[in-house]
């Protein structure tokens, strides 16, 4: 399988040469789908390199979708069928020569600047001594007060008793599903939606079903029909700057969907992490239907994902259940994270960071419109991402692979699909992810060239 593997004799890093050598064998068919690679220590010993180098090479190939690692099965060659979903990408690539537009990340250093100014003062903070102690599972009261007050017009009416702090929205969603669902129950979501809900529903043994969308978001008639047929426990919605399509549900659409949920007694899980970036968004589901809605928020998208501070705002009985699930999961979040988040909110730094991020995103979205505006692109002036619908002959996975071959990483629509039904062919473009506006221009220009060339750029054509 990897016998007589030889690395190219050039100046590139060893891990890169190893990754290229394995990729060549996959392309040639010497390594077939499902083949298991030898243990990393064996590869390292055979080539006379260290295990860390092998680990980095295999991780690079996993990011490219060529390998997959599963507990108990080791590392195997991944299926390359267009119907197979790409992996759950959760961190930007550091691969040389790649402009990574596949992961949401801050477009500016405003968060780092604010934290640099805050950290020297933390030891004088009145809550500093509490950092060495255990805290209740719902999080320190003073931090929940800060979040509750910040979001009082959106959810919870300023009541800290309805707030549970989590290590990001994904963690909050995990604890929420553990608290309010039972194995085998049905959860509904948009037919393309945030990747994390797919993974969590599998872990919790839930039956996730996709609901048809139009350009205004989830269709109320399709939601109503699914509720009547499937009797779901909950519906998962990203109502503001939807991931990946950037759709913001209108107030009318929100009211129509809330009416369906009320009629069928379906919990609304409102993942509204992008809301702080939107200008004058419509009323939240938590304000329209407070007794049926659990509101998820986080500072990841509007400040920085590295902060890892999310929150669940729910009716008090459900908030108590979520806190109990979180206690089992991790006891409580880090009080240091809570203190940094609370101070950024209370001192106004969070609001300033958001305004700086929005200003930069407006500039980047303008670049996107300039370069890709003639294609079928769905975007928003302050969104971190955009959704590019592909015309013939492109398919999402094929276009993403071809972009990667030319040094640009994007995520195809398959990554966001719920279930195995065919989805619209598109890719998500994270405009905030590029390290600079110049990099963004370069990446988008490459994509525009591919779109304009059409079938002449399909893999296998010359």
């Amino acid at each position: 399988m990897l016998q007589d593997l030889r690395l190219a004799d050039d100046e590139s890093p060893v891990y890169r040469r190893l990754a290229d050598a394995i990729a060549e064998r996959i392309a040639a068919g010497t390594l077939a789908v499902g083949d298991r690679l030898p243990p990393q220590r064996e590869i390292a010993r055979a080539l006379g390199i260290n295990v860390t180098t092998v680990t980095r090479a295999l991780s690079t190939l996993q990011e490219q979708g060529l390998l997959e690692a599963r507990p108990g099965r080791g590392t195997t060659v991944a299926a390359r069928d267009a119907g197979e979903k790409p992996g759950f990408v959760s961190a930007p690539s550091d691969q040389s020569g790649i402009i990574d537009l596949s992961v949401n990340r801050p477009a500016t250093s405003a968060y780092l600047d604010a934290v640099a100014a805050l950290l020297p003062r933390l030891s004088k903070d009145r809550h500093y001594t509490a950092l060495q102690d255990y805290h209740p599972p719902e999080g320190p009261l003073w931090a929940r007060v800060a979040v509750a007050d910040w979001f009082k017009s959106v959810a919870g009416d300023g009541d800290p008793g309805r707030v549970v702090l989590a290590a990001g929205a994904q963690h909050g969603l995990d604890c929420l599903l553990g608290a309010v669902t039972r194995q085998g129950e049905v959860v509904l979501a948009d037919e393309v939606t945030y990747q994390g809900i797919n993974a969590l529903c599998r872990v919790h043994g839930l039956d996730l079903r996709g609901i048809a969308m139009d350009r205004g978001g989830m269709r109320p008639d399709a939601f109503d029909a699914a509720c009547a047929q499937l009797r779901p426990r909950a519906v998962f919605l990203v109502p503001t700057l939807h991931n990946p399509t950037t759709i913001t549900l209108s107030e009318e659409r929100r009211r129509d969907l809330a009416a369906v949920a009320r009629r069928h007694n379906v919990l609304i899980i409102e993942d509204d992490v992008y809301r702080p970036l939107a200008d004058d968004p419509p009323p939240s589901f938590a304000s329209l239907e407070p007794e049926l809605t659990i509101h998820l928020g986080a500072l990841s998208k509007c400040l920085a994902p590295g902060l890892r501070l999310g929150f669940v705002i729910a009716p008090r009985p459900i908030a108590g259940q979520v806190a109990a699930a979180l206690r089992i999961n991790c006891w409580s979040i880090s009080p240091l994270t809570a203190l940094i988040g609370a101070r950024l909110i209370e001192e106004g730094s969070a609001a300033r960071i958001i305004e700086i991020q929005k200003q930069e995103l407006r500039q980047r979205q303008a670049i996107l419109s300039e370069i890709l505006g003639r294609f079928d692109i769905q975007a928003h002036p302050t969104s971190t991402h955009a959704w590019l619908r592909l015309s013939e002959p492109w398919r999402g996975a094929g276009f993403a692979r071809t972009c990667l071959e030319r040094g640009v990483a994007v995520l195809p629509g398959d990554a966001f699909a719920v279930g195995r039904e065919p989805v619209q062919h598109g890719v998500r473009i994270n405009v905030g992810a590029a390290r600079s506006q110049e990099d963004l221009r370069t990446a988008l220009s490459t994509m525009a060239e591919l779109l304009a060339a059409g079938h002449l750029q399909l893999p296998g054509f010359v």
Side-chain angles (χ1 to χ4, degrees), residues 13-34:
V14 176
Y15 87 91
R16 181 68 262 172
R17 284 183 275 154
L18 174 57
D20 289 345
I22 295 174
E24 287 176 6
R25 295 208 171 187
I26 293 173
T30 307
L31 283 171
V33 173

Side-chain angles (χ1 to χ4, degrees), residues 338-372:
L339 183 56
I340 292 172
R343 287 296 159 263
L344 291 177
I345 291 170
E346 292 177 340
E347 295 177 1
S349 298
R352 288 191 292 272
I353 294 168
I354 290 169
E355 285 307 311
I356 293 171
Q357 303 280 38
K358 289 169 69 173
Q359 181 179 358
E360 177 69 17
L361 288 170
R362 286 188 180 95
Q363 295 176 14
R364 293 185 178 220
Q365 288 286 354
I367 294 171
L368 176 97
S369 178
E370 172 194 334
I371 298 174
L372 295 182

Side-chain angles (χ1 to χ4, degrees), residues 2-3 5-7 14-15 18-19 22 37-58:
L2 292 183
Q3 292 87 350
L5 188 69
R6 294 288 183 268
L7 306 189
V14 176
Y15 87 91
L18 174 57
I22 295 174
L37 271 61
Q40 294 182 19
R41 291 188 182 278
E42 288 186 18
I43 298 174
R45 187 165 49 248
L47 295 174
I49 59 180
N50 62 52
V51 175
T52 302
T53 299
V54 176
T55 300
R56 191 173 182 186
L58 300 189

Side-chain angles (χ1 to χ4, degrees), residues 28 49-50 70 116 146 162 174 183 206 238 244 264 277 284 311 324 357 366-367 397 440 446 451 455-456 462:
I49 59 180
N50 62 52
R70 295 183 181 178
R162 298 182 63 175
D174 183 17
Q183 188 171 355
L206 300 170
V238 185
H264 295 278
L277 293 173
S284 66
F311 43 89
Q357 303 280 38
I367 294 171
L440 180 63
T446 297
L451 292 165
H455 71 278
L456 296 178
V462 295

Side-chain angles (χ1 to χ4, degrees), residues 261-278:
R262 187 186 316 117
R263 187 159 59 250
H264 295 278
N265 195 31
V266 175
L267 286 175
I268 300 171
I269 301 174
E270 180 178 32
D271 185 348
D272 220 9
V273 294
Y274 295 98
R275 185 182 186 87
L277 293 173

